[in-house]
C-alpha cells in the first residue's frame, strides 16, 4: 500500500502513528518543528512515545533523520502482553495513555501496561488517568471491548502512585485491556437527562482540607440542579507520592444520564501560577461549570473524546454506526480528514437544528484482529 505523507510536522503525532499501525501503511512525517530556532525536530516526549510503540509491536521500523525533523515509521504487528515504560517528564502519563488507547484491544495478547511519570497537574494540555477512567473506558464497553465478562476482565486504569507536575515523575499507572476479535457498531444518539454526578478530588502535598473545599464548592453549584451528587476526596501525602512531587490539586467530574451517556470534565491548579492565585473554592466552581458546559452542548460524548470514538467507529464492522456530538472541535475536524485519507472512511455530517447538535454516521471498514484466534 502507498505511504502516507504529511508535511505539516508534529500535528496529530500520536493519532497518525496509531492509524499507521491499524491500516498497516508506512507513514512519512516531514517538517517537524523545522522553523523552530530553539528546539527543532522531535521532542523528548515524542521520541518516548515511539519507544513505547516499539515495545508494544514486533517488526516496526523507525527512521529519523539527523536533525529530527523527518520521521518514517513502518508499522509492525501489535503484540500486547506485559509492557513497562518510563515516560518523559515534559508530558503526563495521560498523554501516552490517550495515544495507545485505540491500539490496546488489537494485540496478539491482552495488554497489561505499566507507565511511570506525572499523573496530575497537566490537564490544561493532557488528559489525566482519572479522566480517561471516567470518560473513555465506559465507551469501550459500548464497542464490545471487555463486555463479555466470561471471557476476560473489563478494561481498567489503576493509579498506583500519584505524582503532580512538574516534579512528580515517579507516579505509576497500570492499564489493562483485553484483546478483541472485532468491534461492535454503536448507535448513541439519545442524550437523555443527567440523573447523577460522580467525581474525585485529588491533592498532593496539600492539607486534606483543600480537597474537601474543592468538593464542597463543586457540590454547591451542582446541587442547584440535581440532588444526587457525590464527590470523593483523595488526599496524598509526600510519602504516598514516592517522596518527590510538587503540590497539586485536581478535580474530575462525570455526569450519567438516564440513557447511560456519560459526560466528563476535569480541571486542575496550574503549577506555573503562584501559590494562592486560585483558591480551592474557585477550582471547584470552575470544574462544575465545565461539566455543565459539556451538558449544555448536548452531545453524547465529551469534546476531548470525540476523535477516539470516531476512530473506533471507523474500525467497526461494515455496518452503519451513529453518534451525536455537541460541537465539533478543531482537532476532531482534522481527525476526520485523516480517517478519510488513511482508512478511506467518510463520515456523513448532519446538523440537528432543533437540539443544536451534530449527527455523525459512517460505514465501518470491517477491521478484524487477525492475531486473535477465531473461536
Amino acid at each position: 500500500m502507498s505511504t502516507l505523507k504529511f508535511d505539516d510536522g508534529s500535528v496529530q503525532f500520536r493519532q497518525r502513528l496509531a492509524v499507521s499501525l491499524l491500516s498497516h501503511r508506512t507513514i512519512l512525517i516531514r517538517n517537524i518543528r523545522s522553523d523552530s530556532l530553539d528546539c527543532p525536530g522531535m521532542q523528548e516526549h515524542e521520541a518516548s512515545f515511539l519507544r513505547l510503540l516499539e515495545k508494544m509491536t514486533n517488526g516496526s521500523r523507525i527512521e529519523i533523520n539527523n536533525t529530527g525533523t523527518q520521521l518514517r515509521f513502518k508499522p509492525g504487528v501489535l503484540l500486547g502482553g506485559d509492557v513497562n515504560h518510563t515516560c518523559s517528564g515534559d508530558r503526563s502519563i495521560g498523554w501516552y495513555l490517550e495515544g495507545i488507547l485505540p491500539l490496546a484491544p488489537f494485540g496478539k495478547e491482552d495488554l497489561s501496561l505499566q507507565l511511570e511519570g506525572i499523573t496530575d497537574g497537566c490537564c490544561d494540555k493532557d488528559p489525566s488517568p482519572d479522566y480517561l477512567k471516567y470518560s473513555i473506558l465506559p465507551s469501550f464497553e459500548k464497542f464490545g471491548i471487555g463486555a463479555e465478562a466470561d471471557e476476560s476482565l473489563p478494561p481498567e486504569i489503576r493509579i498506583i502512585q500519584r505524582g503532580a507536575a512538574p516534579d512528580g515523575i515517579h507516579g505509576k499507572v497500570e492499564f489493562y485491556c483485553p484483546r478483541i476479535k472485532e468491534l461492535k457498531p454503536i448507535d448513541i444518539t439519545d442524550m437523555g437527562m443527567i440523573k447523577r454526578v460522580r467525581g474525585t478530588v485529588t491533592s498532593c502535598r496539600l492539607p486534606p482540607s483543600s480537597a474537601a473545599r474543592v468538593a464542597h464548592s463543586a457540590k454547591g453549584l451542582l446541587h442547584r440542579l440535581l440532588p444526587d451528587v457525590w464527590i470523593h476526596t483523595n488526599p496524598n501525602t509526600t510519602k504516598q507520592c514516592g517522596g518527590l512531587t510538587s503540590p497539586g490539586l485536581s478535580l474530575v467530574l462525570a455526569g450519567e444520564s438516564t440513557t447511560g451517556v456519560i459526560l466528563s470534565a476535569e480541571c486542575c491548579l496550574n503549577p506555573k501560577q503562584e501559590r494562592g492565585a486560585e483558591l480551592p473554592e474557585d477550582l471547584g466552581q470552575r470544574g462544575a461549570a465545565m461539566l455543565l458546559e459539556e451538558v449544555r452542548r448536548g452531545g453524547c460524548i465529551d469534546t476531548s473524546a470525540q476523535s477516539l470514538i470516531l476512530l473506533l467507529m471507523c474500525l467497526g464492522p461494515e455496518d452503519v454506526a451513529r453518534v451525536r456530538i455537541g460541537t465539533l472541535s478543531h482537532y476532531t475536524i482534522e481527525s476526520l480528514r485523516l480517517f478519510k485519507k488513511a482508512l478511506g472512511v467518510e463520515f456523513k455530517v448532519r446538523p440537528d437544528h432543533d437540539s443544536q447538535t451534530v449527527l455523525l454516521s459512517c460505514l465501518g471498514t470491517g477491521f478484524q484482529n487477525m492475531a486473535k484466534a477465531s473461536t
Side-chain angles (χ1 to χ4, degrees):
M1 299 180 74
S2 61
T3 300
L4 293 168
K5 297 179 181 180
F6 300 96
D7 296 321
D8 52 355
S10 60
V11 179
Q12 292 185 307
F13 183 79
R14 299 165 299 163
Q15 195 162 49
R16 287 174 176 174
L17 290 172
V19 168
S20 171
L21 278 163
L22 292 169
S23 62
H24 305 292
R25 296 177 68 179
T26 302
I27 187 171
L28 176 64
I29 302 176
R30 300 191 187 99
N31 303 324
I32 302 175
R33 299 183 186 87
S34 56
D35 297 332
S36 175
L37 298 177
D38 299 328
C39 51
M42 286 174 46
Q43 295 185 355
E44 176 58 32
H45 61 275
E46 293 164 341
S48 179
F49 186 74
L50 286 171
R51 288 193 292 269
L52 174 58
L53 291 184
E54 197 172 24
K55 293 177 183 178
M56 292 175 57
T57 59
N58 181 28
S60 294
R61 286 184 57 190
I62 301 169
E63 300 174 8
I64 305 171
N65 67 351
N66 293 332
T67 58
T69 57
Q70 180 173 304
L71 164 70
R72 179 183 292 272
F73 179 78
K74 184 178 181 181
V77 179
L78 288 164
L79 295 178
D82 295 329
V83 179
N84 294 304
H85 185 70
T86 301
C87 307
S88 65
D90 50 350
R91 299 302 286 261
S92 75
I93 287 177
W95 186 83
Y96 294 83
L97 260 183
E98 187 183 34
I100 61 99
L101 279 174
L103 306 173
F106 301 111
K108 192 174 181 180
E109 301 175 6
D110 297 350
L111 176 64
S112 181
L113 174 66
Q114 184 174 51
L115 296 173
E116 182 175 350
I118 295 171
T119 61
D120 298 280
C122 297
C123 63
D124 56 333
K125 57 180 181 179
D126 300 331
S128 68
D130 293 289
Y131 172 81
L132 297 175
K133 182 178 180 179
Y134 275 108
S135 174
I136 304 297
L137 293 193
S139 301
F140 266 34
E141 295 188 11
K142 294 175 183 176
F143 284 97
I145 303 172
E148 298 178 4
D150 297 338
E151 289 191 6
S152 58
L153 298 172
E156 183 184 15
I157 294 176
R158 293 177 59 223
I159 296 93
I160 307 299
Q161 186 171 287
R162 298 277 179 178
D167 297 328
I169 58 174
H170 297 295
K172 293 179 182 177
V173 172
E174 289 183 354
F175 171 56
Y176 171 80
C177 184
R179 59 182 179 171
I180 191 172
K181 180 70 175 174
E182 60 183 355
L183 299 173
K184 296 179 180 177
I186 62 168
D187 188 1
I188 311 174
T189 56
D190 188 3
M191 168 64 191
M193 303 290 287
I194 298 295
K195 63 179 181 179
R196 59 169 166 253
V197 174
R198 298 291 181 264
T200 302
V201 183
T202 302
S203 65
C204 297
R205 274 187 58 195
L206 289 175
S209 60
S210 298
R213 288 162 63 188
V214 174
H216 181 76
S217 175
K219 286 190 287 187
L221 178 58
L222 295 171
H223 272 154
R224 300 180 192 176
L225 304 170
L226 75 165
D228 192 357
V229 179
W230 187 83
I231 300 176
H232 169 66
T233 57
N234 180 22
N236 293 268
T237 62
T238 304
K239 186 177 180 181
Q240 289 173 316
C241 294
L244 179 63
T245 183
S246 302
L249 191 61
S250 60
L251 168 66
V252 180
L253 293 172
E256 183 180 351
S257 78
T258 51
T259 57
V261 170
I262 296 178
L263 298 176
S264 306
E266 68 171 337
C267 63
C268 62
L269 290 181
N270 188 347
K272 297 181 181 178
Q273 284 184 340
E274 295 182 5
R275 192 167 183 178
E278 185 177 26
L279 296 175
E281 287 80 7
D282 299 332
L283 184 69
Q285 290 270 347
R286 180 156 65 94
M290 289 173 68
L291 177 64
L292 295 177
E293 173 62 19
E294 286 287 347
V295 176
R296 184 199 66 79
R297 291 173 181 169
C300 294
I301 53 176
D302 307 339
T303 304
S304 302
Q306 288 175 3
S307 58
L308 175 60
I309 300 302
L310 295 179
L311 175 55
L312 293 178
M313 288 171 61
C314 294
L315 301 174
E318 296 179 7
D319 197 358
V320 176
R322 298 193 306 161
V323 70
R324 184 183 299 276
I325 288 177
T327 304
L328 279 171
S329 66
H330 292 295
Y331 188 86
T332 305
I333 294 171
E334 290 295 325
S335 299
L336 292 174
R337 293 171 180 151
L338 173 63
F339 301 154
K340 182 179 179 180
K341 181 177 181 179
L343 301 173
V345 176
E346 191 168 349
F347 279 79
K348 181 180 179 182
V349 182
R350 184 165 62 87
D352 186 348
H353 298 289
D354 295 334
S355 60
Q356 299 294 311
T357 57
V358 180
L359 277 170
L360 281 90
S361 59
C362 76
L363 198 65
T365 57
F367 181 85
Q368 290 190 346
N369 183 4
M370 303 309 293
K372 186 179 188 300
S374 300
T375 54

